[in-house]
Amino acid sequence: MKELPAPWPLKKLIGPSFIILGVGLGSGELILWPYLTANFGLGIMWAAVVGITMQFFINMEIERYTLVTGESVFMGMTRKYGKWIPVWFLLTTLVPWMWPGIIASAAKVLATAGGFEYSKWWGIILLLIVGILFNFGSIVYKTQERIQKIIIMVGVPFILGLAVWLSKVEHWQALITTIDLPSGLPMATFLAALAYAGAGGNLNLAQSLYIKEKGYGMGKYFGKISNIWNEESEETQVEGEQFECTNENLSRFNLWWKRINIEHGIVFWATGALTMIMLSILSYATVYKHPNVATSINFVILEAVEIGNRSWPILGSIFLVLVGVMLFGTQFSVFGSNSRIAGENLAIMFRHKEAHKQLHKLFFGFLWLQIVVGVIIFSLGFTEPLTLVIVGAVMNAVSMFIYTGLILWMNMTALDKPLRPANWRILAVLSAFLFYGFFSFYILF
């Protein structure tokens, strides 16, 4: 038993949500929702807002457990449901995300921006750069946070400014007045976009690890994963601590809870929803119903051409470069999150052998495993970005259906009553659980 640390000011809390927002930027925000809008119009954007709202409530229940216990939701679910949990999350994290669809998108866009022909070598080079970058920072979490902050703070304002500049009144009217589910809408792609309206898949669960390493609540008492070359690495743990539900601790918890909701609401929900909407408007204003956007990511390149035609050619090139960098940043954090999740679950499986003391080695082992598999996939000729993204997204939607129910039940039963979710939050997460379940079974059958 330990005391719950005093709540931090809001400014100090900002950080973990940038990573999960960066993960979402390269999937739903930059690829799938603009792709769907370019083909089917702005009437489907209601689903993007629904998708990211559901993820907000799911993420906050993930954060709730770690804030209270200082341990990851993976450790909590293993304690609650059994030893099969780490095996399940190892498989459902690594298998869907082995498909390097996002880095393929980044490679294609950057190659085009530079005037080169896209090939598998662009994707392979970018994969290797991901691995090299992770070796520069002393603390893995801080490396991810800093890189994502820079990319988001530079890329998002520029792209949103373009959307405002190039859109017209009728585009906004179509957004506000139209709610539609058009005939011919490919349900697999629609499900992929819902799964990626935010982060998606098991990547949401990494939020538990990042707020723990940031030091939220009881996470203050646990170490951070350092660079594999750091001889003075911190000792990490996978099992948490508890605090008594005294008046002082409950008061502290309520203030922690209020502030982390604000942090995640502003950085993840509001910024993510705004970005999806504005990028979809930009797509609608430039390449709606263009014949070359039907089956590929070429709509991003077509957007750049239209941006250059309507303003200055240099702006079209800058747009492509920033999109490519943002997609690269997404793959960077995807691999970081996957490696962190896989390492945590393997350490839980072998915690009796003190595997948690080797978390930094497990992290880099899984990181390079993903990079090597990505290189192999490119070498075998799988280079079409959109197909790779959709395959991974459908698998992730099924995973989200399962873990959403597990986390909700755990928070409703394993935590002390004053710390459990309110009824309206239970209803919100239960709705997300049923929603993902419906679409998952629809696609599977």
Side-chain angles (χ1 to χ4, degrees), residues 314-384:
I314 187 64
L315 287 183
S317 299
I318 294 173
F319 171 78
L320 274 185
V321 170
L322 286 177
V323 168
V325 170
M326 291 168 74
L327 290 167
F328 171 81
T330 294
Q331 190 71 74
F332 177 82
S333 278
V334 165
F335 277 0
S337 298
N338 289 347
S339 304
R340 187 66 181 86
I341 291 170
E344 177 86 1
N345 280 282
L346 196 61
I348 291 171
M349 290 171 63
F350 295 100
R351 63 187 184 280
H352 60 288
K353 295 184 179 180
E354 298 191 323
H356 59 275
K357 294 183 178 180
Q358 304 297 323
L359 268 174
H360 60 304
K361 294 181 180 179
L362 294 175
F363 172 86
F364 281 96
F366 281 114
L367 173 66
W368 282 100
L369 171 65
Q370 292 176 95
I371 291 171
V372 169
V373 171
V375 170
I376 292 172
I377 290 173
F378 278 128
S379 300
L380 292 175
F382 294 96
T383 57
E384 172 54 43

Side-chain angles (χ1 to χ4, degrees), residues 3-177:
E3 287 295 307
L4 178 64
W8 294 349
L10 183 59
K11 182 179 180 180
K12 189 178 178 181
L13 289 171
I14 294 176
S17 295
F18 271 102
I19 296 178
I20 198 168
L21 174 62
V23 167
L25 281 176
S27 46
E29 280 85 339
L30 282 170
I31 299 178
L32 292 178
W33 285 109
Y35 165 78
L36 288 173
T37 303
N39 285 278
F40 299 100
L42 290 166
I44 61 172
M45 288 308 298
W46 62 270
V49 177
V50 169
I52 198 168
T53 301
M54 290 192 299
Q55 284 199 31
F56 170 80
F57 286 107
I58 293 169
N59 292 347
M60 290 316 302
E61 291 311 307
I62 292 169
E63 291 196 23
R64 180 195 300 273
Y65 184 82
T66 301
L67 178 73
V68 170
T69 65
E71 68 183 20
S72 69
V73 289
F74 305 107
M75 185 68 244
M77 285 188 281
T78 301
R79 206 189 299 277
K80 177 75 174 175
Y81 302 114
K83 296 180 180 179
W84 62 272
I85 287 290
V87 178
W88 165 256
F89 283 116
L90 270 168
L91 293 175
T92 58
T93 298
L94 294 177
V95 174
W97 290 104
M98 287 296 187
W99 297 95
I102 297 171
I103 204 76
S105 301
K108 188 168 187 177
V109 170
L110 288 174
T112 303
F116 301 100
E117 183 179 356
Y118 169 62
S119 71
K120 62 185 179 182
W121 296 110
W122 281 88
I124 290 172
I125 291 170
L126 291 184
L127 285 173
L128 296 176
I129 292 174
V130 169
I132 293 169
L133 284 176
F134 268 111
N135 283 277
F136 281 113
S138 59
I139 301 296
V140 169
Y141 166 77
K142 289 182 179 179
T143 301
Q144 282 185 264
E145 182 185 301
R146 287 168 183 165
I147 288 178
Q148 285 296 357
K149 276 184 177 179
I150 293 171
I151 291 174
I152 291 170
M153 293 175 72
V154 173
V156 171
F158 176 82
I159 291 175
L160 297 187
L162 280 178
V164 172
W165 184 15
L166 296 177
S167 61
K168 299 178 180 179
V169 174
E170 55 262 34
H171 302 149
W172 292 96
Q173 290 175 338
L175 173 69
I176 296 171
T177 60

Side-chain angles (χ1 to χ4, degrees), residues 381-424:
F382 294 96
T383 57
E384 172 54 43
L386 191 64
T387 302
L388 297 179
V389 171
I390 293 171
V391 168
V394 172
M395 296 174 72
N396 276 313
V398 177
S399 176
M400 290 181 73
F401 163 59
I402 294 172
Y403 76 63
T404 298
L406 294 178
I407 289 173
L408 178 61
W409 182 249
M410 180 174 68
N411 284 355
M412 291 170 59
T413 56
L415 301 180
D416 291 334
K417 286 186 178 181
L419 309 173
R420 294 175 185 175
N423 288 336
W424 65 275

Side-chain angles (χ1 to χ4, degrees), residues 220-239:
K220 174 184 177 181
Y221 299 111
F222 302 92
K224 298 176 176 62
I225 294 181
S226 62
N227 189 294
I228 195 170
W229 313 113
N230 189 352
E231 296 180 357
E232 299 180 358
S233 59
E234 297 185 28
E235 182 172 337
T236 54
Q237 299 181 51
V238 294
E239 295 180 317

Side-chain angles (χ1 to χ4, degrees), residues 3-4 245-253:
E3 287 295 307
L4 178 64
C245 288
T246 62
N247 289 335
E248 181 179 359
N249 279 334
L250 287 176
S251 177
R252 288 181 173 184
F253 167 77

